[in-house]
Amino acid sequence: MAPATDTVTDLRSRIDRVDAELAGLLEERALLAAEIQRHKPVGGFVGRDPGRERALVAAMAHRAPRLGAPRLARIMSAVIEAGLEAAEEEARAPLADR
């Protein structure tokens, strides 16, 4: 096995870059999900589609096998719920605040 050449500082810097990208992607996802909520006849938590969520997690598990479907299901549930909460807060906000 080759010796590791990255220091903890180097690795943390790389994680910081990934986290910054992840934050941007999560914001984009939340904006898209909020737009979808405006088109659904029944939105919010009631309008969740468990079958679609399972398919999403299964597809992600192929790209992130280290995490696997059970962990990704927990992560994506939290992401979906946070996006729904943000969309609901935005929908309740007065127009002047938007």
Side-chain angles (χ1 to χ4, degrees), residues 9-90:
T9 301
D10 294 335
L11 294 167
R12 286 182 175 159
S13 292
R14 289 172 59 191
I15 286 175
D16 291 345
R17 285 193 299 274
V18 169
D19 288 346
E21 289 179 40
L22 183 57
L25 291 171
L26 289 169
E27 177 67 7
E28 182 178 0
R29 189 188 196 291
L31 290 169
L32 290 167
E35 184 65 24
I36 289 170
Q37 291 302 305
R38 289 189 278 278
H39 292 281
K40 281 185 169 182
V42 177
F45 289 86
V46 175
R48 285 180 77 167
D49 182 346
R52 177 165 163 64
E53 291 179 26
R54 280 190 300 276
L56 167 72
V57 167
M60 291 178 78
H62 287 290
R63 298 186 74 176
R66 180 178 296 263
L67 292 174
R71 289 184 190 101
L72 286 165
R74 292 193 313 264
I75 292 166
M76 290 313 298
S77 184
V79 167
I80 291 165
E81 289 174 10
L84 290 172
E85 288 171 4
E88 286 179 356
E89 286 175 12
E90 183 179 292

